[in-house]
Amino acid sequence: MSHAPLTTLPQWQALKQHFATIGTKHLRELFAADAQRGKQLTVEDVGLYLDYSKQRVDADTLRLLRELAEACELPQRIEAMFRGDKINSTEGRAVLHVALRAPTTEKILVDGHDVEPDVHEVLDRMAVFSERVRSGAWLGHTGKRIRNVISIGIGGSDLGPVMAYEALRDYSRRDMTFRFVSNVDGTDFSEAVRDLDPAETLFIICSKTFTTLETLTNAHAARAWCLKTLGDESAIAKHFVAVSTNAEGVAKFGIDTANMFGFWDWVGGRYSMDSSIGLSTMLAIGAEQFHEMLAGFHAMDEHFRSAPLESNLPALMGLLAIWNNNFLDAATVAVLPYEQYLKRFPAYLQQLTMESNGKHVTLNGKVVDYNTGPIYWGEPGTNGQHSFYQLIHQGTRIVPCDFIGFGHTLNPLPAQGGGDQHDLLMANLIAQGEALAFGKTAEEVRAEGTPEALVPHRTFEGNRPSNTILAAKLTPHVLGTLIALYEHSVFVQGTIWDIDSFDQWGVELGKQLAKTTIAELTAKDEPKLAHDSSTNALIHRYRQLRDGATSGKA
Ligand code: G6Q
């Protein structure tokens, strides 16, 4: 379902022409021209308030972007996704993360089979299991209660669970320890378990394929660590569960498939945190709050499917991202949550956005003649303000920002001088967006009595675009809506760029390459190498360093 070459579409050409006029306009002018702009260019639905008035757009831009979306058949593509069409065409798969959070009353068919009963059967099993662990009914091999949960996975089988655990820590069982191991660097595993008792520790091995080198390596390390203390193989059944689509691989590893929670090939790794990959999240916050999170996702799904383009949050976010990326030529997006609990949200979004839209060919395999996915990055506010915001304010590049903030904090702390520390936090968020948009003119700087030589240094050009997303409070429900907002915005962008947002051949390459090299690094005798001269030399040098006199423990 490829559309006509993007840059040849009349709607694209119209946007290009339009850019010639609006591209030179300053946000100061746009705001001066319309006193209601700050109220009008906003949307509020499903608990999220989006202010996009500080984007460099006007009513014509927005209309033209919607026309582009129609020309790229965005509404039809949305329906195709929800219908279960195989829109991940390079892998021949349906893309149905939306089915993971749909209620039992909905019917979603994959190859004629309704997947909702399957989804809910797994959710119910997860709930029973979580309750048993949380209540202490599930005991370890020696009869001790499980107090530690370690989720082992990588990429899509890790970043979502880590982010969700951190985001919802306030709702989690504080008498249990939750840790996440992803890196094949032995330090990750060693540091995660160093102060834990295997008799009280449960490992969740999360791997869709159950073939991923890093995860299986860490799972074997976990097994060895457990058995060293617990002694016999029968302990595995009490201390290991698996989340996978590969029952055979799970059984081969030695985990009873009765302790396996499944999911399906129509769930992409980076879209899987609300499947059984989120078992650690459910163990942390309980089944009821996990379902609240799913309800948040679902609310955004419904909104995305039914809201008209002009008030459709993911569609707007996606189209504005296209505008910034392809017309303002902004290569990156900074995601700046003013909420400490969302500290891993930018890292999570990096995978979601960059693995999805880091593609250079269209669905038809034609090399694109426009930029696709921008680089996502970010840190929580206010920390970033004291480091990289300098470049965002006064650098030579445009970095569109997504500011995310909440009406309530989960940790109120009275501030010196009145109010709560949260007011200080939010004052910073609001002030940053304002400063980026409006800047400070040379006249304003002079009026402050600044010496002439310093005026250029203290001048802020402004005209730097941002979105501001506000919600009442970070709850499981709100987290669900926020994640789904970005998931669907990624899909909107991928639809316009005419790429497959749901495959990841670049990741597959990495998985293959390491296999060849590992054999060369571990060969007993100096291997015959046939790489380029740099790779050959690096392999040789690494072997020398490793086998040389200076060992790390010397
Ligand atoms: C996600 C990617 C990738 C994947 C990991 C782990 O969309 O495909 O990040 O999640 O490589 O794969 P497994 O879950 O199969 O171990």
Side-chain angles (χ1 to χ4, degrees):
M1 204 175 164
S2 203
H3 57 67
L6 182 60
T7 49
T8 65
L9 288 174
Q11 293 80 0
W12 184 272
Q13 293 300 331
L15 275 161
K16 247 178 111 175
Q17 272 184 13
H18 169 71
F19 179 72
T21 46
I22 193 154
T24 56
K25 279 202 182 146
H26 198 288
L27 278 165
R28 287 185 209 119
E29 289 169 71
L30 294 172
F31 271 85
D34 175 6
Q36 296 304 313
R37 183 179 170 94
K39 279 194 190 151
Q40 257 159 17
L41 298 194
T42 63
V43 180
E44 184 155 27
D45 208 345
V46 291
L48 298 185
Y49 175 84
L50 168 69
D51 173 358
Y52 59 98
S53 63
K54 295 192 182 86
Q55 295 287 347
R56 287 168 54 179
V57 296
D58 64 9
D60 285 337
T61 327
L62 294 165
R63 179 181 48 78
L64 291 169
L65 284 168
R66 288 196 298 273
E67 286 173 11
L68 178 70
E70 301 276 2
C72 295
E73 303 188 331
L74 176 64
Q76 293 89 322
R77 295 273 299 169
I78 295 173
E79 262 326 290
M81 176 173 76
F82 278 90
R83 206 169 43 221
D85 288 8
K86 298 196 169 156
I87 61 166
N88 175 359
S89 54
T90 72
E91 294 183 328
R93 289 177 179 166
V95 175
L96 276 178
H97 40 282
V98 293
L100 298 170
R101 52 261 193 156
T104 39
T105 45
E106 251 176 62
K107 208 172 169 173
I108 300 183
L109 302 178
V110 175
D111 293 329
H113 171 75
D114 180 9
V115 298
E116 274 322 306
D118 304 349
V119 167
H120 286 272
E121 191 258 333
V122 174
L123 281 170
D124 291 347
R125 283 185 55 229
M126 287 166 65
V128 170
F129 173 73
S130 299
E131 190 41 40
R132 288 189 68 199
V133 174
R134 287 163 60 88
S135 69
W138 177 286
L139 297 174
H141 184 59
T142 63
K144 282 190 174 175
R145 244 185 117 123
I146 298 296
R147 298 195 185 280
N148 318 309
V149 174
I150 302 200
S151 184
I152 297 182
I154 197 163
S157 298
D158 172 66
L159 286 158
V162 175
M163 179 274 289
Y165 172 66
E166 291 296 342
L168 301 176
R169 205 181 247 261
D170 193 62
Y171 302 85
S172 74
R173 279 286 292 264
R174 300 295 193 150
D175 57 348
M176 292 174 73
T177 299
F178 290 86
R179 291 185 185 156
F180 299 83
V181 174
S182 54
N183 199 339
V184 75
D185 182 338
T187 300
D188 204 11
F189 178 78
S190 304
E191 285 293 338
V193 298
R194 68 192 301 275
D195 55 346
L196 303 184
D197 175 0
E200 299 181 333
T201 304
L202 174 78
F203 289 95
I204 309 174
I205 313 300
C206 295
S207 177
K208 182 174 169 181
T209 54
F210 228 78
T211 57
T212 305
L213 175 85
E214 290 90 335
T215 301
L216 290 191
T217 305
N218 280 319
H220 280 285
R223 184 171 42 196
W225 178 78
C226 257
L227 292 183
K228 200 169 147 203
T229 312
L230 301 178
D232 83 81
E233 280 281 338
S234 62
I236 299 299
K238 291 285 171 206
H239 294 272
F240 282 77
V241 297
V243 175
S244 188
T245 57
N246 175 1
E248 212 179 298
V250 169
K252 207 164 136 212
F253 177 82
I255 297 177
D256 186 347
T257 46
N259 295 334
M260 167 179 152
F261 300 88
F263 61 115
W264 307 272
D265 72 358
W266 40 262
V267 183
R270 54 195 175 277
Y271 297 88
S272 68
M273 58 157 290
D274 47 342
S275 71
S276 48
I277 288 289
L279 183 59
S280 56
T281 315
M282 195 188 271
L283 281 161
I285 65 172
E288 203 176 309
Q289 298 193 98
F290 191 85
H291 277 278
E292 282 171 24
M293 182 181 81
L294 294 185
F297 273 101
H298 183 64
M300 184 55 80
D301 295 343
E302 291 288 282
H303 166 89
F304 182 48
R305 195 176 187 176
S306 59
L309 289 182
E310 53 265 42
S311 55
N312 189 310
L313 289 157
L316 272 167
M317 291 265 293
L319 292 172
L320 291 166
I322 298 276
W323 176 248
N324 288 336
N325 185 67
N326 296 101
F327 295 91
L328 294 188
D329 208 18
T332 85
V333 177
V335 181
L336 308 164
Y338 279 63
E339 168 56 71
Q340 187 64 19
Y341 285 124
L342 288 181
K343 66 180 181 191
R344 296 294 290 166
F345 194 58
Y348 168 77
L349 282 187
Q350 278 182 336
Q351 182 189 24
L352 179 69
T353 58
M354 289 158 74
E355 199 168 281
S356 297
N357 285 340
K359 311 288 161 66
H360 75 296
V361 292
T362 64
L363 291 165
N364 282 342
K366 298 264 181 310
V367 174
V368 298
D369 57 356
Y370 42 87
N371 278 322
T372 60
I375 298 150
Y376 275 73
W377 58 289
E379 280 288 323
T382 57
N383 298 5
Q385 288 174 211
H386 298 265
S387 62
F388 55 78
Y389 276 44
Q390 167 61 37
L391 183 148
I392 303 181
H393 281 289
Q394 287 189 306
T396 53
R397 298 168 196 281
I398 291 182
V399 181
C401 300
D402 286 353
F403 291 104
I404 303 171
F406 298 89
H408 296 268
T409 175
L410 292 160
N411 294 291
L413 271 187
Q416 225 187 359
D420 191 274
Q421 277 192 214
H422 189 63
D423 297 327
L424 284 175
L425 178 73
M426 290 303 291
N428 274 282
L429 179 156
I430 294 168
Q432 287 294 330
E434 184 181 17
L436 286 172
F438 299 101
K440 205 185 237 188
T441 61
E443 291 69 48
E444 285 166 337
V445 174
R446 272 189 205 102
E448 286 172 353
T450 307
E452 198 52 36
L454 287 183
V455 169
H457 298 278
R458 293 198 174 172
T459 299
F460 291 77
E461 186 186 30
N463 214 16
R464 318 238 155 175
S466 65
N467 287 320
T468 303
I469 300 167
L470 299 179
K473 188 165 100 175
L474 179 58
T475 60
H477 192 278
V478 165
L479 182 69
T481 54
L482 195 58
I483 298 166
L485 169 66
Y486 278 94
E487 283 179 346
H488 297 320
S489 158
V490 162
F491 176 53
V492 170
Q493 294 167 58
T495 298
I496 305 293
W497 290 320
D498 201 23
I499 56 181
D500 189 335
S501 299
F502 304 104
D503 62 11
Q504 56 283 310
W505 299 104
V507 177
E508 311 301 333
L509 171 72
K511 291 187 182 185
Q512 290 310 317
L513 289 180
K515 282 190 191 146
T516 319
T517 315
I518 185 77
E520 292 162 343
L521 296 186
T522 52
K524 206 158 161 287
D525 301 319
E526 198 61 43
K528 272 211 163 61
L529 300 173
H531 303 274
D532 59 275
S533 59
S534 163
T535 308
N536 288 345
L538 286 170
I539 291 173
H540 183 65
R541 189 80 182 114
Y542 168 73
R543 288 177 60 101
Q544 269 184 342
L545 284 169
R546 181 193 59 196
D547 303 336
T550 323
S551 102
K553 294 276 180 199

